[in-house]
Amino acid sequence: MEEKRYELRILPLFEEKLQETADYIAFRLRNPIAAEDFVDAVEAAILERLKAPEAFEPYRSKKDRKYVYYAIPVKNYLVFYVVIGHVMEVRTLVYGRRDLTKII
């Protein structure tokens, strides 16, 4: 049986959130090395998940959605994505200790 291959799509909202988080770590917390490590960890986690994005437990959202959300934990954050056909669409990045019921 042939493996299903997925295309990766990154939404601008995710890119903004990732940049904001990296800037916060680098400048506010004054730790540019940790910021770079965080970005690398997020990228690695997304690429690893791209191999089989639907093989994981869907995120249980209280909101009615057209597509099921999935979460990738990375350090204290969650990367949220959906799968649309053969596309893994990375949508947002959220600090894990926030009230996710109001966001996702």
Side-chain angles (χ1 to χ4, degrees):
M1 185 160 83
E2 188 177 322
E3 280 187 39
K4 187 174 180 181
R5 298 200 182 260
Y6 293 87
E7 177 185 325
L8 180 62
R9 179 181 308 141
I10 306 287
L11 293 188
L13 176 62
F14 171 79
E15 291 176 341
E16 290 170 25
K17 296 288 188 180
L18 182 60
Q19 186 64 55
E20 287 173 9
T21 304
D23 287 349
Y24 177 81
I25 296 167
F27 302 114
R28 183 83 178 219
L29 301 180
R30 298 180 187 187
N31 196 339
I33 293 170
E36 187 175 325
D37 289 347
F38 177 72
V39 171
D40 290 346
V42 168
E43 290 174 355
I46 290 169
L47 292 176
E48 183 63 30
R49 186 62 66 95
L50 185 60
K51 295 175 184 175
E54 294 177 292
F56 296 85
E57 180 79 24
Y59 179 78
R60 297 187 202 289
S61 174
K62 294 188 185 228
K63 295 181 181 179
D64 197 24
R65 301 193 175 277
K66 184 174 181 178
Y67 301 105
V68 174
Y69 265 59
Y70 295 89
I72 307 170
V74 181
K75 301 191 186 262
N76 293 329
Y77 290 81
L78 294 169
V79 174
F80 285 98
Y81 69 92
V82 298
V83 177
I84 304 169
H86 69 284
V87 176
M88 177 178 152
E89 184 177 270
V90 179
R91 294 196 163 178
T92 194
L93 175 73
V94 179
Y95 182 63
R97 295 195 181 222
R98 294 200 51 201
D99 183 359
L100 298 174
T101 60
K102 295 179 180 176
I103 302 168
I104 301 297

